[in-house]
Amino acid sequence: MKNLSKGIIILLVLALFGCAPKNLKVKADGFDNVHKAYAKGERVEIYLSNIGTDTDYAFYVDGVAYDALYDAAKGYVINFTMPDHDVEVTVKATNSMDMSDPAEGVTRILYQRLWFYALEGETEDKEKIAEIMNALNSLVISDESIPVSFEDNGERIFVYYDNGETKTYYFEDNFYVDTATNDHYLIISGMRELRMAVYELIGVEYVDY
């Protein structure tokens, strides 16, 4: 009976002082304030602070739509109580200003992967062009540049239009690079989908490490 009483007291102490085991994970790529582990019943607060201009965001917690509130200091804030399982938080971003077809007028796309061995591929297929242009248009890129550089890890995408115009996109690792200034901007989301699309042009299967 004494041992039972001690066990009850220990459980009460753990509950009162928040000593429940922290072994649950929150997967939330691109979000801030994500802890390494959480306990069941713990309050979770994460936020998306790198917000693009003219961009609409849709948030999902374990696949269920979540109406995130905006805080001027933190950005979009998501709050929930940790359940008894791991949780995945995702965000989908769309450009709210450009409602036109991003593939309109595009006749050809050339992709170059400039690693220690160079590979390149191109396409004039309309469906493939639409896939790549939609992926480019869906990238969520930070507004703040970061002083980094990567050697032998560049990627270039040339987009050719029917009016003779050519647009060039340059990436290093998970950064968009402004080639005029060499400023690097972190890509918050969308790079996986873009790489999956362009890797087909060089006959390489994309592997998400």
Side-chain angles (χ1 to χ4, degrees), residues 141-154:
I141 303 174
S142 170
D143 291 331
E144 297 184 5
S145 63
I146 300 175
V148 296
S149 183
F150 300 87
E151 295 182 2
D152 299 325
N153 198 15

Side-chain angles (χ1 to χ4, degrees), residues 86-106:
D86 295 344
V87 172
E88 182 175 15
V89 179
T90 55
V91 56
K92 182 178 181 181
T94 55
N95 191 308
S96 58
M97 294 297 291
D98 184 10
M99 301 303 292
S100 62
D101 180 3
E104 184 177 357
V106 179

Side-chain angles (χ1 to χ4, degrees), residues 2 5 11 19 23 46 50 146 154 172 174-175 183 189 207:
K2 289 183 177 180
S5 298
L11 289 174
C19 295
N23 55 5
I46 60 177
N50 288 316
I146 300 175
E172 289 182 357
N174 287 319
F175 292 85
D183 289 333
S189 66
V207 179

Side-chain angles (χ1 to χ4, degrees), residues 108-181:
R108 181 166 66 99
I109 290 179
L110 171 65
Y111 169 68
Q112 295 177 334
R113 192 172 77 169
L114 309 172
W115 293 8
F116 55 91
Y117 57 91
L119 293 173
E120 73 173 36
E122 61 182 315
T123 184
E124 295 181 359
D125 180 77
K126 291 183 178 180
E127 290 186 1
K128 192 62 182 176
I129 286 173
E131 180 187 0
I132 294 171
M133 293 306 298
N134 283 326
L136 275 170
N137 200 51
S138 297
L139 291 177
V140 180
I141 303 174
S142 170
D143 291 331
E144 297 184 5
S145 63
I146 300 175
V148 296
S149 183
F150 300 87
E151 295 182 2
D152 299 325
N153 198 15
E155 298 170 86
R156 269 200 300 257
I157 298 175
F158 298 90
V159 180
Y160 300 90
Y161 292 83
D162 55 10
N163 62 0
E165 181 184 5
T166 302
K167 290 185 179 180
T168 304
Y169 301 85
Y170 184 61
F171 306 93
E172 289 182 357
D173 195 68
N174 287 319
F175 292 85
Y176 168 74
V177 183
D178 183 339
T179 54
T181 61

Side-chain angles (χ1 to χ4, degrees), residues 13-14 26 54 88 113 123 139 200:
V13 170
L14 289 174
V26 171
D54 301 329
E88 182 175 15
R113 192 172 77 169
T123 184
L139 291 177
E200 288 187 15

